[in-house]
Amino acid sequence: MNTTTFDVTGMTCGCCAGKVRDHVGAIAGVRTIDVDVTAGLVTITATRPVPRDAVAEAVEKAGFRLAE
């Protein structure tokens, strides 16, 4: 398994976390997603490496952005 953590900007509540979980969870190979709204972190565990571009696209569809 591959685990990667991403900084996400703009999340403020549990609803935000749910949106991110739903969109990131649709990426092929993703098994678990931990969203820490307070820290602005999303940790993904997947069966293979997940490209940053795929995560960025999913996070943007949820209404947020990956930090640079």
Side-chain angles (χ1 to χ4, degrees), residues 45-63:
T45 301
T47 57
R48 58 186 175 171
V50 177
R52 180 179 170 83
D53 292 347
V55 176
E57 182 178 332
V59 167
E60 286 178 14
K61 284 182 181 178

Side-chain angles (χ1 to χ4, degrees), residues 19-66:
K19 289 179 183 179
V20 170
R21 257 190 228 98
D22 289 346
H23 285 84
V24 172
I27 299 171
V30 171
R31 294 292 174 242
T32 63
I33 305 154
D34 179 50
V35 180
D36 183 337
V37 173
T38 304
L41 299 174
V42 175
T43 302
I44 301 167
T45 301
T47 57
R48 58 186 175 171
V50 177
R52 180 179 170 83
D53 292 347
V55 176
E57 182 178 332
V59 167
E60 286 178 14
K61 284 182 181 178
F64 309 97
R65 292 194 165 267
L66 290 186

